[in-house]
Amino acid sequence: MASSMYVEKFTTLLRALSLVEGTYKPFPSNPLASNSTASPMDYSNVYGSGFLGTPVDTTFNASDPGLSYNATPFYPGDIGADTRCAVVSYDPPPLVNQTFWSFDSVTATIYRYRRQQSVNLGSWFVQENWMVPSLFTCASGPQSAEIDIASGWGSVDNARAVLERHWDAFINQTDFDYLASIGINTVRLPIGYWSLGPTFVTGTPFEPYASVYTNSWPRVVRAINMAAQSGIGVLVDVHGAAGSQNGQSHSGISDGQTRLFGSTTYTDKTMEIFMFLADQLQNVTNVVGVEILNEPNDAPDLSGFYTKAITAMRQRSTGGPNLPLYIHDGFNLEKYSTYLAARSDFVVEDHHSYFVFTPADESEPASQHTGDVKGPISGDLGTADTKDRDNLVIGEWSCALTDQSLSTQRDPDEARRQFCTTQMGVYTNMSAGWSFWSYNKEGCDTDQGWCFKAAVGKSLPNTFFSYAKPPPTDAAALQRAYAAVASMTVPESQSDILKRLQNSPTMAQGLNGTTPWNMTAAQQASSIDGYSDGHQTAKIFTQYGWSRLGFVEQYIRDSLNAMGGFIPQGTEEYYRIGFKVGLADGEGVVAAVLA
């Protein structure tokens, strides 16, 4: 399709979706060294980092434990038999230039629509005792939640020192670089309302300890910038809302009470939090979205709360309508897929999947859990994903199984591996992305169930790239792969495209047997335009970190809205089906390049 009309249409689409520069993005160059051998490749060449502009300073101290954090349990001071709660003062250099990188709408579009291979950065800014028990050594009260740390350790100054040292050591740039090098392209970043700083805890149980969080928000900004440095997107997850959305310790409180719903005070406070996040994050290139609440109780007014929050955030300044918003389904998959089906904007359902928290799960053999994932769970997710228009992610899952589940297995390690890889495969096929819980924890090395770093290469594969097979690590081979993708073209002949459509099961299934040869001229034209756009989209996404389009139906819907009158009214479905066929063909070309 080289006609001027098609070029005009596609350029209009790309400009509206902020992708017009993507059609001209050169493939990365990697000149050979003087001895004619390939120069070494680092993660940025493999993953496509370096297109976000000039980075800000993300350094914070001379010690960067990064991947080695779990070599020994973390303690904030010199803990001895008689000095368990001694806290060595911590006065790190001030964080400078903690502003977000300049906004790049092209890259932001890729980040937000692409398929996600993700990990959670749990217990970085929202503490849980079972993950970082050393932080709770001298916490107050039940010693189970964030507030117990903030109110413990003898003083707010001590508590601040404990948490600031943790924020600076638990995850560092080396971790993000490692994740990028194995194909993780997104992280889910749990924060609490207290993470926004002292102003936001007024009128809440955290108010007496507000000064503990004086320097917390700059560190959240730094975390997002570190991810950007490695070409990784960030889903900012409100894990703890004012008043608590579920009464659980991971929401920051330890009294077991859920006070958010039905309280005007806490609802208004939480809406303020959402407005702040919308203002701060809507034009941050690598922020893929904001998750409004984590695992809320499925209260009667939860859907109304979501609608109020989404509406307010959508109305918040110019970027609001374009920021993806995620909602957890309160463990009611069907209810909230129906909720999303009634919407047309970029809202994503987050579902969490675990197999260790009920008596039935505890006693069921690992092999049976694996069978459940392949069978009824896969079916339920597929139904929800279709209803959600592909706007479904599995935002938390793990390889965790109980001892009892593994006790009947002949080879427990292999049983866990089958369970874990089966989950990953199903979640990949039945959603737009997944996020493992969690990347890091104390005792990581011996916990393949809950710690991603320990599971990689054992219960999980070694790499997680969108095209399954990683790009070449040899520099010359990688350069050839880049060149092959850059040279991808849509078939010139309309008849060739129509033949491809004719041979596609997607066309036959989507149009109830209608073939390209018995369509009207307008229907044919829309199908051809859709095919061409889908094929080009596969190419553009690949050129950014070997990405694949994930939120397909949302992307198509937004494309049709962006193109306005270019697609004749009544032929939108033909465009949609054509796009999906072209996308699949384009991704097939990329897969062949990597084979």
Side-chain angles (χ1 to χ4, degrees):
M1 290 290 292
S3 69
S4 59
M5 176 60 75
Y6 170 70
V7 172
E8 179 185 0
K9 287 180 179 179
F10 192 59
T11 302
T12 299
L13 164 63
L14 294 178
R15 183 176 293 112
L17 290 178
S18 303
L19 280 172
V20 67
E21 294 91 339
T23 57
Y24 309 111
K25 182 177 186 293
F27 59 86
S29 60
N30 186 51
L32 295 179
S34 58
N35 61 359
S36 297
T37 59
S39 55
M41 299 292 291
D42 64 13
Y43 84 91
S44 63
N45 290 323
V46 173
Y47 198 68
S49 182
F51 47 77
L52 288 174
T54 304
V56 298
D57 179 14
T58 58
T59 60
F60 39 91
N61 58 40
S63 175
D64 185 1
L67 294 167
S68 64
Y69 175 85
N70 283 292
T72 57
F74 170 76
Y75 289 100
D78 182 14
I79 307 299
D82 299 318
T83 58
R84 279 192 340 117
C85 297
V87 177
V88 176
S89 64
Y90 185 64
D91 188 22
L95 296 179
V96 295
N97 299 325
Q98 290 307 306
T99 56
F100 293 113
W101 296 16
S102 58
F103 185 61
D104 179 340
S105 60
V106 177
T107 310
T109 300
I110 302 292
Y111 275 124
R112 292 174 181 184
Y113 285 96
R114 71 182 174 184
R115 175 170 294 281
Q116 297 173 5
Q117 299 90 233
S118 175
V119 295
N120 282 272
L121 304 183
S123 278
W124 193 3
F125 295 103
V126 178
Q127 312 312 326
E128 299 185 49
N129 190 316
W130 70 277
M131 294 183 68
V132 284
S134 67
L135 297 187
F136 290 84
T137 304
C138 296
S140 67
Q143 297 186 329
S144 64
E146 177 87 21
I147 196 167
D148 301 327
I149 299 174
S151 59
W153 290 97
S155 72
V156 292
D157 289 340
N158 285 351
R160 183 173 66 197
V162 168
L163 286 172
E164 287 186 357
R165 184 181 279 107
H166 173 72
W167 298 332
D168 289 348
F170 190 58
I171 293 171
N172 285 325
Q173 189 66 57
T174 51
D175 296 286
F176 287 106
D177 291 352
Y178 164 70
L179 290 170
S181 75
I182 61 173
I184 295 299
N185 64 14
T186 309
V187 294
R188 182 171 179 258
L189 180 64
I191 64 171
Y193 68 94
W194 54 86
S195 303
L196 279 55
T199 302
F200 291 90
V201 302
T202 302
T204 77
F206 278 85
E207 183 173 6
Y209 323 110
S211 64
V212 172
Y213 300 96
T214 300
N215 299 315
S216 56
W217 179 250
R219 284 171 163 84
V220 173
V221 175
R222 184 184 64 195
I224 295 171
N225 285 336
M226 284 195 290
Q229 180 77 32
S230 300
I232 290 177
V234 179
L235 173 60
V236 177
D237 157 44
V238 180
H239 221 69
S244 179
Q245 71 276 15
N246 55 25
Q248 299 296 313
S249 59
H250 59 238
S251 70
I253 53 90
S254 54
D255 62 5
Q257 299 300 305
T258 303
R259 297 186 175 92
L260 171 60
F261 305 111
S263 166
T264 301
T265 298
Y266 285 131
T267 297
D268 290 347
K269 174 68 69 174
T270 301
M271 291 297 164
E272 290 176 15
I273 293 161
F274 297 152
M275 296 306 99
F276 175 83
L277 293 175
D279 289 342
Q280 293 289 311
L281 303 178
Q282 59 191 306
N283 289 323
V284 178
T285 301
N286 68 315
V287 169
V288 304
V290 173
E291 180 151 2
I292 292 175
L293 292 176
N294 173 69
E295 296 186 355
N297 290 346
D298 186 18
D301 53 349
L302 177 59
S303 59
F305 179 91
Y306 278 151
T307 299
K308 180 179 179 180
I310 293 168
T311 300
M313 295 177 78
R314 290 278 180 248
Q315 294 173 346
R316 194 74 171 193
S317 70
T318 55
N322 299 319
L323 181 67
L325 299 175
Y326 289 59
I327 60 170
H328 186 267
D329 59 17
F331 297 100
N332 193 333
L333 180 66
E334 182 179 3
K335 176 180 177 179
Y336 286 94
S337 59
T338 301
Y339 175 86
L340 256 68
R343 303 190 65 93
S344 61
D345 56 336
F346 203 162
V347 179
V348 180
E349 179 177 9
D350 174 19
H351 182 72
H352 296 174
S353 186
Y354 291 123
F355 298 84
V356 293
F357 293 125
T358 69
D361 283 343
E362 184 175 353
S363 60
E364 186 172 310
S367 57
Q368 190 172 332
H369 281 307
T370 302
D372 291 342
V373 173
K374 290 179 181 178
I377 292 173
S378 177
D380 289 345
L381 292 175
T383 299
D385 188 52
T386 299
K387 192 180 294 186
D388 283 338
R389 312 181 315 279
D390 298 332
N391 286 11
L392 174 69
V393 296
I394 310 304
E396 291 186 21
W397 65 283
S398 76
C399 296
L401 290 162
T402 66
D403 291 342
Q404 188 173 347
S405 289
L406 291 168
S407 64
T408 60
Q409 306 300 293
R410 184 176 62 181
D411 185 340
D413 290 340
E414 176 62 16
R416 188 193 298 276
R417 191 188 69 80
Q418 289 290 339
F419 168 69
C420 207
T421 56
T422 297
Q423 282 189 90
M424 195 179 83
V426 168
Y427 303 155
T428 297
N429 293 331
M430 296 300 170
S431 73
W434 48 258
S435 191
F436 188 95
W437 186 281
S438 184
Y439 172 66
N440 198 11
K441 64 183 289 290
E442 292 178 10
C444 174
D445 292 344
T446 59
D447 193 350
Q448 293 181 36
W450 289 108
C451 193
F452 181 80
K453 289 191 297 182
V456 172
K458 297 172 184 174
S459 298
L460 287 169
N462 289 303
T463 62
F464 306 88
F465 290 91
S466 295
Y467 279 95
K469 185 174 181 179
T473 55
D474 172 76
L478 181 62
Q479 188 67 15
R480 289 193 295 271
Y482 281 141
V485 172
S487 66
M488 286 173 58
T489 57
V490 178
E492 288 286 333
S493 167
Q494 292 191 13
S495 63
D496 286 345
I497 293 178
L498 291 174
K499 288 177 183 177
R500 292 173 186 264
L501 293 170
Q502 170 71 28
N503 294 329
S504 168
T506 302
M507 176 66 75
Q509 295 168 4
L511 296 176
N512 297 319
T514 300
T515 71
W517 311 112
N518 59 19
M519 295 178 186
T520 65
Q523 291 168 347
Q524 276 192 351
S526 292
S527 297
I528 291 170
D529 285 346
Y531 181 95
S532 301
D533 291 354
H535 198 281
Q536 289 282 8
T537 297
K539 173 181 176 179
I540 293 169
F541 272 70
T542 300
Q543 290 179 307
Y544 283 81
W546 301 94
S547 301
R548 296 177 67 182
L549 181 61
F551 297 97
V552 177
E553 292 288 354
Q554 187 69 51
Y555 187 89
I556 294 172
R557 180 174 295 206
D558 292 345
S559 299
L560 289 168
N561 290 336
M563 286 187 290
F566 274 126
I567 301 300
Q569 187 174 2
T571 67
E572 294 87 355
E573 184 65 9
Y574 294 86
Y575 176 90
R576 187 180 73 84
I577 297 298
F579 184 101
K580 295 177 80 170
V581 176
L583 178 70
D585 283 0
E587 291 179 343
V589 173
V590 177
V593 168
L594 294 172

